Coordinates of all heavy atoms in Angstrom, one line a residue:
M1 N 9.3 -4.4 -14.9 CA 8.9 -5.5 -14.1 C 9.8 -5.6 -12.8 O 11.0 -5.4 -13.0 CB 9.0 -6.8 -14.9 CG 8.4 -7.9 -14.3 SD 8.2 -9.4 -15.3 CE 6.6 -9.7 -15.4
P2 N 9.3 -5.9 -11.7 CA 10.1 -5.9 -10.4 C 11.1 -7.1 -10.5 O 10.7 -8.2 -11.0 CB 9.1 -6.0 -9.3 CG 7.8 -6.6 -10.0 CD 7.9 -6.1 -11.3
F3 N 12.2 -7.0 -9.9 CA 13.2 -8.0 -9.8 C 13.8 -8.4 -11.1 O 14.6 -9.3 -11.2 CB 12.7 -9.3 -9.0 CG 11.9 -8.9 -7.8 CD1 10.6 -9.3 -7.7 CD2 12.5 -8.3 -6.7 CE1 9.9 -9.0 -6.5 CE2 11.8 -8.0 -5.6 CZ 10.5 -8.3 -5.5
D4 N 13.5 -7.8 -12.2 CA 14.0 -8.1 -13.5 C 13.8 -9.6 -13.9 O 14.6 -10.2 -14.4 CB 15.5 -7.8 -13.4 CG 15.9 -6.8 -14.7 OD1 15.0 -6.4 -15.3 OD2 17.0 -6.6 -14.9
I5 N 12.6 -10.0 -13.6 CA 12.2 -11.4 -14.0 C 11.6 -11.4 -15.4 O 10.6 -10.7 -15.6 CB 11.3 -12.0 -13.0 CG1 12.0 -12.1 -11.6 CG2 10.9 -13.4 -13.4 CD1 11.1 -12.6 -10.5
G6 N 12.1 -12.2 -16.3 CA 11.6 -12.3 -17.6 C 10.8 -13.6 -17.8 O 10.6 -14.4 -16.8
I7 N 10.3 -13.9 -18.9 CA 9.5 -15.1 -19.2 C 10.3 -16.3 -18.9 O 9.7 -17.3 -18.3 CB 8.9 -15.1 -20.7 CG1 8.1 -13.8 -20.9 CG2 8.2 -16.4 -21.0 CD1 6.8 -13.8 -20.0
P8 N 11.6 -16.5 -19.4 CA 12.3 -17.7 -19.1 C 12.4 -18.1 -17.6 O 12.1 -19.2 -17.2 CB 13.7 -17.5 -19.7 CG 13.5 -16.4 -20.7 CD 12.3 -15.6 -20.2
E9 N 12.7 -17.0 -16.9 CA 12.8 -17.2 -15.4 C 11.4 -17.6 -14.8 O 11.4 -18.4 -13.9 CB 13.3 -15.9 -14.7 CG 14.7 -15.6 -14.9 CD 15.0 -14.7 -16.2 OE1 14.0 -14.6 -16.9 OE2 16.1 -14.3 -16.4
L10 N 10.4 -17.0 -15.2 CA 9.1 -17.4 -14.7 C 8.7 -18.8 -15.1 O 8.1 -19.5 -14.3 CB 7.9 -16.4 -15.4 CG 7.9 -15.0 -14.7 CD1 6.7 -14.2 -15.5 CD2 7.5 -15.1 -13.3
L11 N 9.1 -19.3 -16.3 CA 8.9 -20.6 -16.7 C 9.7 -21.6 -15.8 O 9.1 -22.6 -15.3 CB 9.3 -20.9 -18.2 CG 8.3 -20.5 -19.2 CD1 8.8 -20.7 -20.6 CD2 7.0 -21.3 -19.0
V12 N 10.9 -21.3 -15.5 CA 11.7 -22.1 -14.5 C 11.1 -22.2 -13.2 O 10.9 -23.2 -12.6 CB 13.2 -21.5 -14.4 CG1 13.9 -22.3 -13.3 CG2 13.9 -21.7 -15.8
V13 N 10.7 -21.0 -12.6 CA 10.0 -20.9 -11.4 C 8.7 -21.8 -11.4 O 8.4 -22.6 -10.4 CB 9.7 -19.5 -10.9 CG1 8.8 -19.5 -9.7 CG2 10.9 -18.7 -10.7
F14 N 8.0 -21.7 -12.5 CA 6.7 -22.4 -12.6 C 6.9 -23.9 -12.6 O 6.3 -24.7 -11.9 CB 6.0 -22.0 -13.9 CG 4.6 -22.7 -14.1 CD1 3.6 -22.2 -13.3 CD2 4.5 -23.7 -15.0 CE1 2.4 -22.9 -13.5 CE2 3.3 -24.4 -15.1 CZ 2.2 -23.9 -14.4
V15 N 8.0 -24.4 -13.3 CA 8.3 -25.8 -13.4 C 8.8 -26.3 -12.0 O 8.4 -27.4 -11.6 CB 9.4 -26.1 -14.5 CG1 9.9 -27.5 -14.3 CG2 8.8 -25.8 -15.8
V16 N 9.6 -25.5 -11.4 CA 10.1 -25.9 -10.0 C 9.0 -26.0 -9.0 O 8.8 -27.0 -8.3 CB 11.1 -24.9 -9.5 CG1 11.5 -25.2 -8.0 CG2 12.4 -25.0 -10.2
V17 N 8.0 -25.0 -9.0 CA 6.9 -25.1 -8.2 C 6.0 -26.2 -8.5 O 5.5 -27.0 -7.6 CB 6.0 -23.8 -8.3 CG1 4.7 -23.9 -7.7 CG2 6.8 -22.6 -7.6
L18 N 5.9 -26.6 -9.8 CA 5.1 -27.7 -10.3 C 5.6 -29.0 -9.7 O 5.0 -29.9 -9.2 CB 5.0 -27.8 -11.8 CG 3.8 -28.6 -12.4 CD1 2.5 -28.0 -12.1 CD2 4.1 -28.6 -13.9
M19 N 6.9 -29.1 -9.7 CA 7.6 -30.3 -9.2 C 7.6 -30.5 -7.7 O 7.4 -31.6 -7.2 CB 9.1 -30.4 -9.7 CG 9.3 -30.6 -11.2 SD 10.9 -31.0 -11.7 CE 11.8 -29.6 -11.1
V20 N 7.7 -29.4 -7.0 CA 7.7 -29.3 -5.6 C 6.3 -29.6 -5.0 O 6.1 -30.5 -4.1 CB 8.3 -28.0 -5.0 CG1 8.1 -28.0 -3.5 CG2 9.8 -27.9 -5.3
F21 N 5.3 -28.9 -5.5 CA 4.0 -29.0 -4.9 C 3.1 -29.9 -5.7 O 2.1 -30.5 -5.1 CB 3.3 -27.7 -4.9 CG 4.0 -26.7 -4.0 CD1 4.9 -25.8 -4.4 CD2 3.9 -26.8 -2.6 CE1 5.6 -24.9 -3.5 CE2 4.5 -26.0 -1.7 CZ 5.3 -25.0 -2.2
G22 N 3.3 -30.2 -6.9 CA 2.5 -31.2 -7.7 C 1.3 -30.4 -8.2 O 0.9 -29.4 -7.7
P23 N 0.8 -30.9 -9.4 CA -0.3 -30.1 -10.1 C -1.6 -30.0 -9.3 O -2.3 -29.0 -9.5 CB -0.6 -31.0 -11.3 CG 0.2 -32.2 -11.2 CD 1.2 -32.1 -10.0
E24 N -1.9 -31.0 -8.4 CA -3.2 -30.9 -7.7 C -3.2 -29.8 -6.7 O -4.3 -29.3 -6.2 CB -3.6 -32.3 -7.1 CG -2.6 -32.8 -6.0 CD -1.4 -33.5 -6.6 OE1 -1.4 -33.7 -7.8 OE2 -0.5 -33.7 -5.8
R25 N -2.0 -29.3 -6.2 CA -2.0 -28.2 -5.2 C -1.8 -26.8 -5.8 O -1.8 -25.9 -5.1 CB -0.9 -28.5 -4.2 CG -1.2 -29.7 -3.2 CD -0.3 -29.7 -2.1 NE -0.4 -28.4 -1.3 CZ 0.5 -28.1 -0.3 NH1 1.6 -28.9 -0.1 NH2 0.4 -27.0 0.3
L26 N -1.7 -26.8 -7.1 CA -1.4 -25.5 -7.7 C -2.5 -24.5 -7.6 O -2.2 -23.3 -7.3 CB -1.1 -25.7 -9.3 CG 0.3 -26.0 -9.6 CD1 0.6 -26.0 -11.1 CD2 1.3 -25.0 -8.9
P27 N -3.8 -24.9 -7.7 CA -4.9 -23.9 -7.6 C -4.8 -23.3 -6.2 O -5.0 -22.0 -6.1 CB -6.2 -24.7 -7.8 CG -5.7 -25.8 -8.6 CD -4.3 -26.1 -8.2
E28 N -4.7 -24.1 -5.2 CA -4.7 -23.7 -3.8 C -3.5 -22.7 -3.6 O -3.6 -21.7 -2.9 CB -4.5 -25.0 -2.9 CG -4.3 -24.6 -1.4 CD -3.8 -25.9 -0.7 OE1 -4.2 -27.1 -1.3 OE2 -3.2 -25.8 0.3
L29 N -2.3 -23.1 -4.2 CA -1.1 -22.2 -4.1 C -1.4 -20.9 -4.7 O -1.0 -19.8 -4.2 CB 0.0 -22.9 -4.7 CG 1.4 -22.6 -4.3 CD1 1.6 -23.0 -2.9 CD2 2.5 -23.3 -5.2
A30 N -2.0 -20.8 -5.9 CA -2.3 -19.7 -6.6 C -3.2 -18.8 -5.9 O -3.0 -17.5 -5.9 CB -2.8 -20.0 -8.1
R31 N -4.1 -19.4 -5.2 CA -5.2 -18.6 -4.4 C -4.5 -17.9 -3.3 O -4.7 -16.7 -3.0 CB -6.2 -19.6 -3.8 CG -7.6 -19.2 -4.4 CD -8.7 -19.9 -3.6 NE -8.4 -21.3 -3.3 CZ -8.7 -22.3 -4.2 NH1 -9.2 -22.1 -5.3 NH2 -8.4 -23.6 -3.9
S32 N -3.6 -18.7 -2.5 CA -2.9 -18.0 -1.4 C -2.0 -17.0 -1.8 O -1.8 -15.9 -1.1 CB -2.3 -19.1 -0.5 OG -1.2 -19.7 -1.2
L33 N -1.3 -17.2 -3.0 CA -0.4 -16.2 -3.6 C -1.2 -14.9 -3.9 O -0.7 -13.8 -3.7 CB 0.3 -16.7 -4.7 CG 1.6 -16.1 -5.2 CD1 2.7 -16.3 -4.2 CD2 2.0 -16.5 -6.5
G34 N -2.3 -15.1 -4.5 CA -3.2 -14.1 -4.9 C -3.6 -13.2 -3.7 O -3.7 -12.0 -3.7
G35 N -4.0 -14.0 -2.6 CA -4.4 -13.3 -1.3 C -3.3 -12.5 -0.7 O -3.5 -11.4 -0.3
M36 N -2.0 -13.1 -0.9 CA -0.9 -12.3 -0.3 C -0.6 -11.0 -1.1 O -0.4 -10.0 -0.5 CB 0.4 -13.3 -0.4 CG 0.6 -14.1 0.8 SD 1.8 -15.4 0.5 CE 3.2 -14.5 -0.1
V37 N -0.7 -11.1 -2.5 CA -0.6 -10.0 -3.3 C -1.6 -8.9 -3.0 O -1.3 -7.7 -2.9 CB -0.6 -10.3 -4.8 CG1 -0.6 -9.1 -5.7 CG2 0.7 -11.2 -5.2
R38 N -2.9 -9.4 -2.8 CA -3.9 -8.5 -2.5 C -3.7 -7.8 -1.2 O -3.9 -6.5 -1.1 CB -5.3 -9.2 -2.4 CG -6.5 -8.4 -2.8 CD -7.8 -9.3 -3.0 NE -7.8 -10.6 -2.3 CZ -7.7 -11.7 -2.9 NH1 -7.6 -11.8 -4.2 NH2 -7.8 -12.8 -2.2
D39 N -3.2 -8.5 -0.1 CA -3.0 -7.9 1.2 C -1.9 -6.9 1.1 O -1.9 -5.8 1.7 CB -2.6 -9.0 2.1 CG -3.8 -9.8 2.7 OD1 -4.9 -9.4 2.3 OD2 -3.6 -10.8 3.4
L40 N -0.9 -7.2 0.3 CA 0.3 -6.3 0.1 C -0.1 -5.0 -0.5 O 0.3 -3.9 -0.1 CB 1.3 -7.0 -0.8 CG 2.8 -6.6 -0.6 CD1 3.4 -6.9 0.8 CD2 3.7 -7.1 -1.7
R41 N -1.0 -5.2 -1.6 CA -1.5 -4.0 -2.3 C -2.3 -3.1 -1.4 O -2.2 -1.9 -1.4 CB -2.3 -4.4 -3.5 CG -1.4 -4.9 -4.7 CD -2.0 -4.7 -6.0 NE -1.2 -5.1 -7.0 CZ -1.5 -5.9 -8.1 NH1 -2.8 -6.3 -8.2 NH2 -0.7 -6.1 -9.0
K42 N -3.1 -3.8 -0.6 CA -4.1 -3.1 0.4 C -3.2 -2.3 1.3 O -3.5 -1.1 1.7 CB -5.0 -4.1 1.1 CG -6.1 -3.4 1.8 CD -6.9 -4.5 2.5 CE -7.9 -3.9 3.6 NZ -7.2 -3.0 4.6
T43 N -2.2 -3.0 1.9 CA -1.3 -2.3 2.9 C -0.6 -1.1 2.3 O -0.5 -0.1 2.9 CB -0.2 -3.3 3.4 OG1 -0.9 -4.5 3.9 CG2 0.6 -2.7 4.4
A44 N -0.1 -1.3 1.0 CA 0.6 -0.2 0.3 C -0.3 1.0 0.1 O 0.1 2.1 0.3 CB 1.2 -0.7 -1.0
A45 N -1.6 0.7 -0.3 CA -2.6 1.7 -0.5 C -2.8 2.4 0.8 O -2.9 3.7 0.8 CB -3.8 1.2 -1.2
D46 N -3.0 1.7 1.8 CA -3.2 2.4 3.1 C -2.1 3.2 3.5 O -2.3 4.4 4.0 CB -3.4 1.2 4.2 CG -4.7 0.6 4.1 OD1 -5.6 1.0 3.3 OD2 -5.0 -0.4 4.9
L47 N -0.9 2.8 3.4 CA 0.2 3.6 3.8 C 0.3 4.8 2.9 O 0.6 5.9 3.4 CB 1.6 2.7 3.6 CG 1.9 1.8 4.7 CD1 3.1 0.9 4.4 CD2 2.1 2.6 6.0
T48 N 0.1 4.7 1.6 CA 0.2 5.8 0.8 C -0.9 6.8 1.1 O -0.6 8.0 1.2 CB -0.1 5.4 -0.7 OG1 0.8 4.4 -1.1 CG2 0.0 6.6 -1.7
R49 N -2.1 6.3 1.5 CA -3.2 7.3 1.9 C -2.9 8.0 3.1 O -3.1 9.2 3.3 CB -4.5 6.5 2.0 CG -5.8 7.4 2.1 CD -6.9 6.6 2.7 NE -6.5 6.0 3.9 CZ -6.8 4.8 4.3 NH1 -7.5 4.0 3.5 NH2 -6.4 4.4 5.5
D50 N -2.4 7.3 4.1 CA -2.0 7.8 5.5 C -0.9 8.9 5.2 O -1.0 10.0 5.8 CB -1.5 6.8 6.4 CG -2.6 5.9 6.9 OD1 -3.8 6.3 6.6 OD2 -2.4 5.0 7.6
F51 N 0.1 8.5 4.4 CA 1.2 9.4 4.2 C 0.8 10.7 3.5 O 1.1 11.9 3.8 CB 2.2 8.7 3.3 CG 3.5 9.6 3.1 CD1 4.4 9.7 4.1 CD2 3.7 10.2 1.9 CE1 5.6 10.5 3.9 CE2 4.9 10.9 1.6 CZ 5.8 11.1 2.7
T52 N -0.1 10.6 2.4 CA -0.6 11.7 1.7 C -1.5 12.6 2.6 O -1.3 13.9 2.6 CB -1.5 11.2 0.5 OG1 -0.7 10.3 -0.2 CG2 -1.9 12.4 -0.4
A53 N -2.3 12.0 3.5 CA -3.2 12.7 4.4 C -2.3 13.5 5.3 O -2.6 14.8 5.6 CB -4.1 11.8 5.1
E54 N -1.2 12.9 5.8 CA -0.4 13.5 6.7 C 0.4 14.8 6.0 O 0.5 15.8 6.6 CB 0.7 12.6 7.3 CG 1.3 12.9 8.6 CD 0.2 13.2 9.7 OE1 -0.7 12.3 9.8 OE2 0.3 14.2 10.3
M55 N 0.8 14.6 4.8 CA 1.4 15.6 4.1 C 0.5 16.8 3.8 O 0.9 18.0 3.8 CB 2.0 15.2 2.8 CG 3.2 14.2 2.9 SD 4.6 15.0 3.6 CE 4.7 14.3 5.3
D56 N -0.8 16.5 3.6 CA -1.8 17.5 3.3 C -2.2 18.3 4.6 O -2.8 19.4 4.6 CB -3.1 16.9 2.8 CG -2.9 16.4 1.4 OD1 -1.9 16.8 0.8 OD2 -3.8 15.7 0.8
G57 N -1.8 17.7 5.7 CA -2.2 18.3 7.1 C -3.6 17.9 7.4 O -4.2 18.5 8.4
S58 N -4.3 17.0 6.7 CA -5.6 16.6 7.0 C -5.7 15.3 7.7 O -6.8 14.7 7.8 CB -6.4 16.5 5.7 OG -5.9 15.6 4.8
G59 N -4.6 14.7 8.0 CA -4.5 13.4 8.6 C -5.2 13.4 10.0 O -5.0 14.3 10.8
A60 N -5.9 12.3 10.2 CA -6.6 12.2 11.5 C -5.6 11.8 12.6 O -5.9 12.0 13.8 CB -7.7 11.3 11.4
A61 N -4.6 11.1 12.2 CA -3.6 10.6 13.2 C -2.9 11.7 13.9 O -2.9 12.8 13.4 CB -2.7 9.7 12.5
G62 N -2.2 11.4 15.0 CA -1.5 12.4 15.8 C -0.6 13.4 15.1 O -0.8 13.7 14.0
G63 N 0.4 13.9 15.8 CA 1.2 14.9 15.3 C 0.8 16.3 15.7 O -0.4 16.4 16.1
P64 N 1.7 17.3 15.7 CA 1.3 18.6 16.2 C 0.3 19.3 15.4 O 0.3 19.2 14.1 CB 2.6 19.4 16.2 CG 3.4 18.6 15.2 CD 3.0 17.2 15.2
R65 N -0.6 20.0 16.0 CA -1.7 20.7 15.3 C -1.8 22.1 15.9 O -1.7 22.3 17.1 CB -3.1 20.0 15.5 CG -3.2 18.7 14.7 CD -3.3 18.9 13.2 NE -3.4 17.6 12.5 CZ -2.4 16.9 12.1 NH1 -1.2 17.3 12.3 NH2 -2.5 15.8 11.4
A66 N -2.1 23.1 15.0 CA -2.4 24.4 15.4 C -3.9 24.6 15.5 O -4.5 24.3 14.4 CB -1.7 25.4 14.6
V67 N -4.4 25.2 16.5 CA -5.9 25.5 16.6 C -6.1 26.9 16.0 O -5.4 27.9 16.4 CB -6.4 25.4 18.0 CG1 -7.8 25.6 18.1 CG2 -6.0 24.0 18.6
C68 N -7.0 27.0 15.1 CA -7.4 28.3 14.6 C -8.1 29.1 15.6 O -9.1 28.6 16.3 CB -8.3 28.1 13.3 SG -9.0 29.6 12.6
A69 N -7.7 30.4 15.7 CA -8.4 31.3 16.8 C -9.7 31.7 16.3 O -10.6 32.1 17.2 CB -7.5 32.4 17.0
T70 N -10.0 31.7 15.0 CA -11.2 32.2 14.5 C -12.3 31.2 14.6 O -13.4 31.3 15.1 CB -11.1 32.6 13.0 OG1 -10.0 33.5 13.0 CG2 -12.4 33.3 12.5
C71 N -12.0 29.9 14.0 CA -13.1 28.9 13.9 C -12.8 27.7 14.8 O -13.6 26.9 15.0 CB -13.2 28.4 12.5 SG -11.9 27.4 11.9
G72 N -11.7 27.6 15.5 CA -11.3 26.5 16.3 C -10.9 25.2 15.6 O -10.7 24.2 16.3
G73 N -10.8 25.3 14.3 CA -10.4 24.1 13.5 C -9.0 23.8 13.7 O -8.1 24.7 14.0
L74 N -8.6 22.5 13.5 CA -7.2 22.0 13.6 C -6.5 22.2 12.3 O -7.0 21.8 11.3 CB -7.2 20.6 14.2 CG -7.6 20.4 15.6 CD1 -7.6 18.9 15.9 CD2 -6.7 21.2 16.5
N75 N -5.3 22.7 12.4 CA -4.5 22.8 11.1 C -3.1 22.3 11.4 O -2.7 22.2 12.5 CB -4.4 24.3 10.7 CG -5.7 24.8 10.3 OD1 -6.2 24.7 9.2 ND2 -6.4 25.5 11.2
A76 N -2.4 21.8 10.3 CA -1.0 21.4 10.5 C -0.2 22.6 10.9 O -0.4 23.8 10.4 CB -0.5 20.8 9.2
V77 N 0.8 22.3 11.8 CA 1.7 23.3 12.2 C 2.5 23.8 11.0 O 3.0 23.0 10.2 CB 2.6 22.9 13.3 CG1 3.8 23.8 13.6 CG2 1.8 22.6 14.6
G78 N 2.7 25.1 10.9 CA 3.5 25.7 9.8 C 2.5 26.3 8.6 O 3.1 26.9 7.8
Q79 N 1.3 25.9 8.7 CA 0.3 26.5 7.7 C 0.1 28.0 8.0 O 0.0 28.3 9.1 CB -1.0 25.8 7.7 CG -1.1 24.7 6.6 CD -2.6 24.1 6.7 OE1 -2.7 23.0 7.3 NE2 -3.5 24.7 6.0
A80 N 0.1 28.8 6.9 CA -0.1 30.2 7.1 C -1.6 30.6 7.4 O -1.9 31.5 8.0 CB 0.5 31.0 6.0
Y81 N -2.5 29.8 6.6 CA -3.9 30.1 6.7 C -4.7 28.9 7.1 O -4.4 27.7 6.8 CB -4.4 30.6 5.3 CG -3.7 31.9 4.9 CD1 -2.7 31.9 4.1 CD2 -4.3 33.2 5.4 CE1 -2.0 33.2 3.8 CE2 -3.7 34.3 5.0 CZ -2.6 34.3 4.3 OH -2.0 35.5 3.8
C82 N -5.8 29.2 7.8 CA -6.6 28.1 8.3 C -7.3 27.3 7.1 O -7.8 27.9 6.1 CB -7.8 28.6 9.2 SG -9.0 27.4 9.7
G83 N -7.2 26.0 7.2 CA -7.9 25.2 6.1 C -9.3 25.1 6.0 O -10.0 24.7 5.2
H84 N -10.0 25.6 7.2 CA -11.4 25.6 7.4 C -12.1 26.9 7.0 O -13.0 27.0 6.4 CB -11.7 25.2 8.8 CG -11.1 23.9 9.3 ND1 -11.5 22.6 8.9 CD2 -9.9 23.7 9.9 CE1 -10.6 21.7 9.4 NE2 -9.7 22.4 10.0
C85 N -11.5 28.0 7.6 CA -12.1 29.3 7.4 C -11.2 30.3 6.6 O -11.6 31.4 6.4 CB -12.6 29.9 8.7 SG -11.2 30.3 9.8
S86 N -10.0 29.9 6.3 CA -9.1 30.7 5.6 C -8.6 31.9 6.3 O -8.0 32.8 5.8 CB -9.7 31.2 4.2 OG -10.0 30.0 3.5
A87 N -8.8 32.0 7.6 CA -8.3 33.1 8.4 C -6.8 32.9 8.6 O -6.3 31.7 8.6 CB -9.0 33.1 9.8
K88 N -6.1 34.0 8.7 CA -4.5 33.9 8.9 C -4.3 33.3 10.3 O -5.0 33.7 11.3 CB -4.0 35.3 8.8 CG -2.4 35.3 8.7 CD -2.0 36.7 8.2 CE -0.4 36.8 8.1 NZ 0.3 35.5 7.9
L89 N -3.4 32.4 10.3 CA -3.1 31.7 11.6 C -2.0 32.5 12.4 O -1.1 33.0 11.8 CB -2.6 30.2 11.3 CG -3.7 29.3 10.9 CD1 -3.1 27.9 10.5 CD2 -4.8 29.1 11.9
Ligands
ZN1 ZN1 -10.3 28.6 11.0

């Protein structure tokens, strides 16, 4: 579990939140917290996908590219063979 938070700590946090915001605002609070977690996960997934694509050399974003002389396809610099037609670069 992140931050090493156990059940007792969660209970303390819950009670403090309950006292600060009051029971009637809890659903609204939980909703916005859920939205924040969702956004965070989406951002993390986007970053992971971009990073993986970049490492594969299939990323659409910038960076140096080598043009294949045979098929004209774009490949990551440093690749020995074309990813499109398998010709030697
Ligand atoms: Zn090619």
Side-chain angles (χ1 to χ4, degrees):
M1 193 175 238
F3 312 118
D4 232 7
I5 296 177
I7 298 296
E9 287 88 350
L10 281 179
L11 276 177
V12 170
V13 168
F14 183 74
V15 169
V16 168
V17 167
L18 199 64
M19 287 192 304
V20 170
F21 294 101
E24 63 278 350
R25 287 196 59 194
L26 274 188
E28 176 193 333
L29 204 68
R31 240 192 319 276
S32 65
L33 200 68
M36 271 165 56
V37 169
R38 206 165 31 246
D39 284 351
L40 202 68
R41 285 204 176 137
K42 190 181 171 301
T43 306
D46 284 353
L47 280 175
T48 305
R49 196 199 50 227
D50 287 353
F51 183 76
T52 308
E54 202 56 47
M55 289 297 108
D56 288 349
S58 59
R65 291 286 182 270
V67 180
C68 173
T70 309
C71 73
L74 290 178
N75 295 279
V77 169
Q79 260 183 266
Y81 296 94
C82 176
H84 307 277
C85 68
S86 303
K88 192 164 175 30
L89 291 175

